[in-house]
Every structure is written in structure tokens, then in C-alpha cells.
Amino acid sequence: MGTPKAQNDTHFLVGHGYDLHRLEFHAPGGPARPLVLGGVKFPHNRGPVAHSDGDALYHAVTDAILGALGQPDIGQLFPDTDPRHEAQDSAVFVGEAVKRMKDLGWRVGNMDATVILETAKVGPVKSQMRANLARLLEVPESRVNVKGKTHEGVDAVGEGRAVEVHAVVVLVRG
Ligand code: MG
């Protein structure tokens, strides 16, 4: 597919993505799934309440790309009422956003994300998250960054009851 004329008037596009998932204690038959962020499983006594695998980092990155392209967001493309996405590996959502991006004649310039999580450390698995994202976004790892923050004990995120992710992406001509 060629690049639509309307998208020929700029050299780059910026997209922002945000996601939050409630974290619940694991219990037999409970709502929580294993905590997965950027495709990396965290040993944790809580997990996200989600229809898919609840990977808030992949969801934020997906929405950042779709947002830059002016496309429908992740909730519109993959509604949580669709049984096909039950426990879905969220790498599929990133892949669909990347496919749409390439079809429209763009590629990722860089992506920067902040994961806000109180009770597990992002630092030790950051390089694995970057590697996973670089592979999915088809860029070198140097073009992908993930930062971990806490919420300083404040509010639901600070009390460990949710995980929050912000992501910003720049798309350049493919
Ligand atoms: Mg989500």
C-alpha cells in the first residue's frame, strides 16, 4: 500500500500511549493473571485484571503507534468483549500496530516508556523488555527505552493496587 497523500506533509509523527491495569492478589479462580510487562513475567503476589494477558507496557506502546497514525485505539481494534483476545499475548497487538504503520509508509524512529510499579523492580529485567520491544518494533535496542519508577507510596499505584505505563513514540518515513 502506498503512502496516502494526506500523510506526505510531515517528516515525522509523534504518538502517546497510556495504560493502567488494576492489580489483584492471586487467588484460585480469582481475576488476576500473571504480571507481564514488555513480554517479561514478574514473580509477584498480584497480577493484572485484564481480558488479554494485561501487558500494560505493550498496550501503551500499541496505542502510541496507533495514536501517531491517527488510527483507532487498542480498545476499538481489540474490544475486551471479543473472546478471541481472552488471555491474548499482547505482542499481537503491538504487531498489528506495526503492520498498520508499515502499510502507511512509516517506521519507528524511537520509543520511550515509563513503567510505574510500586512492588516489583523493573531494573533487573529492563534489558529483556528492551530486547522484546526492539524485536517487535523492528529497531535496534538503542532506539527503545524503558524506565522504571515507583509512585512513592501515594494513591492506588503507590499502594501496589495498579500498574501504570506511559509511552511516547516518534515515527519517521519508512
Ligand atoms: Mg491495557
Side-chain angles (χ1 to χ4, degrees), residues 79-132:
D80 62 10
T81 49
D82 187 336
R84 282 177 303 173
H85 305 133
E86 172 77 26
Q88 174 74 65
D89 177 349
S90 295
V92 167
F93 306 149
V94 181
E96 174 62 24
V98 167
K99 183 186 175 299
R100 286 172 182 245
M101 170 189 78
K102 289 161 72 176
D103 285 349
L104 290 166
W106 298 91
R107 62 186 167 85
V108 171
N110 77 302
M111 191 288 296
D112 186 28
T114 302
V115 175
I116 308 162
L117 179 64
E118 200 71 13
T119 49
K121 289 261 179 283
V122 167
V125 295
K126 201 185 279 188
S127 60
Q128 184 58 51
M129 289 172 159
R130 288 180 78 176
N132 289 345

Side-chain angles (χ1 to χ4, degrees), residues 13-19 59-69 73 112 165-170:
L13 298 170
V14 175
H16 168 260
Y18 167 82
D19 198 25
H59 295 180
V61 170
T62 300
D63 258 352
I65 296 169
L66 293 171
L69 296 170
D73 67 32
D112 186 28
V165 179
H166 298 264
V168 175
V169 70
V170 169

Side-chain angles (χ1 to χ4, degrees), residues 141-164:
E141 284 180 37
S142 59
R143 297 298 182 89
V144 169
N145 196 29
V146 179
K147 305 177 300 297
K149 304 280 284 183
T150 75
H151 212 261
E152 297 287 328
V154 177
D155 296 339
V157 176
E159 290 164 6
R161 292 189 285 118
V163 57
E164 193 172 42

Side-chain angles (χ1 to χ4, degrees), residues 33-93:
R33 299 191 182 284
L35 179 58
V36 181
L37 292 166
V40 180
K41 230 175 227 178
F42 283 69
H44 199 281
N45 62 353
R46 291 180 187 248
V49 177
H51 183 64
S52 68
D53 68 359
D55 191 322
L57 177 50
Y58 278 177
H59 295 180
V61 170
T62 300
D63 258 352
I65 296 169
L66 293 171
L69 296 170
Q71 292 270 312
D73 67 32
I74 189 171
Q76 292 173 283
L77 292 182
F78 307 105
D80 62 10
T81 49
D82 187 336
R84 282 177 303 173
H85 305 133
E86 172 77 26
Q88 174 74 65
D89 177 349
S90 295
V92 167
F93 306 149

